[in-house]
Amino acid sequence: MGESLSNSVRSSAKNVKEVFGRRYTFQLYIDLECEGAAGQPEQITVDAGKLTEADPWTCFGDNEHIKNIYLFKNKLMSWQWTQLFLFHSFVVFETKNYWWSIEKNGEGVTIQRSKSKGRVRDYYRRNLRTGFDGISSPDHVVKDGTKASKSQLRDIMAFMEDANLVSSRYNIVSSNCQSFASHLFNHFAKEKTWIRGKA
């Protein structure tokens, strides 16, 4: 029990640092094989100011068209009873061959790729998302198709660089996961919009 409590305390301390952006790296992390074993994977790392200079094949493989875009939310802290007001939000893209998640937190911006929707929805950096046990899943908030003119994976890099979504330091109020998700969703979604902070 003592070890479990100690692990819980360490996990909470880590989450607090991430929530307040104390670990932010100004980098984009890409994991193209997120079905791998738990723990920190070997990832492609791109500095914030070099997103459009990165080799697209290395970052994405085929430049697939984005078919659908989803927005999900989950608890910020494992001890939360509800995620009605306080939650982490992230975007999921569906392409022809893969599912992708993209999100910002106090560590940086992370993109994950998998053949399984559940793997990018329920996991972050190969570990179960905060507050979930592998049975329940993050809450689905909204879904839409994507704009024909902005429907390829490489457009994401250009948009994030133009909008300074990676280069802006994480801030719990002004530059957080919800503002990042709303920028991405509202830019690429065909018809719908999402207001930051609204379920």
Side-chain angles (χ1 to χ4, degrees), residues 14-107:
K14 178 176 179 289
N15 286 345
V16 167
K17 288 182 180 180
E18 290 175 8
V19 166
F20 286 95
R22 295 174 186 171
R23 298 159 53 93
Y24 194 71
T25 61
F26 299 96
Q27 291 180 322
L28 169 67
Y29 303 86
I30 304 173
D31 185 4
L32 298 181
E33 304 294 339
C34 68
E35 291 89 350
Q40 291 289 2
E42 290 186 12
Q43 296 171 316
I44 302 162
T45 304
V46 184
D47 291 334
K50 300 180 179 179
L51 300 185
T52 55
E53 298 174 21
D55 176 28
W57 178 261
T58 300
C59 293
F60 296 117
D62 290 335
N63 187 26
E64 295 186 51
H65 286 269
I66 302 167
K67 296 162 55 179
N68 294 303
I69 180 171
Y70 303 75
L71 195 137
F72 290 91
K73 68 175 184 176
N74 67 279
K75 296 176 183 177
L76 276 175
M77 303 291 183
S78 58
W79 46 260
Q80 287 179 233
W81 286 100
T82 177
Q83 56 187 11
L84 183 61
F85 303 107
L86 185 64
F87 57 87
H88 171 69
S89 57
F90 61 99
V91 171
V92 169
F93 290 105
E94 178 186 5
T95 63
K96 179 181 178 181
N97 295 307
Y98 294 101
W99 291 89
W100 307 76
S101 64
I102 180 167
E103 58 205 282
K104 183 175 186 174
N105 64 15
E107 290 186 303

Side-chain angles (χ1 to χ4, degrees), residues 54-189:
D55 176 28
W57 178 261
T58 300
C59 293
F60 296 117
D62 290 335
N63 187 26
E64 295 186 51
H65 286 269
I66 302 167
K67 296 162 55 179
N68 294 303
I69 180 171
Y70 303 75
L71 195 137
F72 290 91
K73 68 175 184 176
N74 67 279
K75 296 176 183 177
L76 276 175
M77 303 291 183
S78 58
W79 46 260
Q80 287 179 233
W81 286 100
T82 177
Q83 56 187 11
L84 183 61
F85 303 107
L86 185 64
F87 57 87
H88 171 69
S89 57
F90 61 99
V91 171
V92 169
F93 290 105
E94 178 186 5
T95 63
K96 179 181 178 181
N97 295 307
Y98 294 101
W99 291 89
W100 307 76
S101 64
I102 180 167
E103 58 205 282
K104 183 175 186 174
N105 64 15
E107 290 186 303
V109 175
T110 299
I111 294 178
Q112 304 180 125
R113 183 185 76 174
S114 176
K115 291 284 189 179
S116 166
K117 179 182 180 180
R119 191 70 191 188
V120 298
R121 180 195 61 201
D122 300 346
Y123 287 78
Y124 168 74
R125 298 197 182 184
R126 305 193 184 189
N127 293 286
L128 278 170
R129 292 187 180 276
T130 301
F132 292 95
D133 54 11
I135 300 174
S136 58
S137 295
D139 290 348
H140 171 233
V141 180
V142 63
K143 170 192 173 183
D144 199 3
T146 52
K147 299 173 183 176
S149 61
K150 289 288 185 182
S151 60
Q152 292 182 304
L153 290 168
R154 295 174 196 175
D155 292 320
I156 297 172
M157 300 290 262
F159 176 68
M160 287 196 299
E161 186 162 299
D162 291 344
N164 298 315
L165 296 186
V166 182
S167 60
S168 58
R169 178 182 288 278
Y170 182 91
N171 181 284
I172 193 172
V173 176
S174 61
S175 181
N176 59 22
C177 61
Q178 294 180 19
S179 60
F180 179 87
S182 65
H183 276 302
L184 271 178
F185 185 89
N186 294 341
H187 181 76
F188 287 96

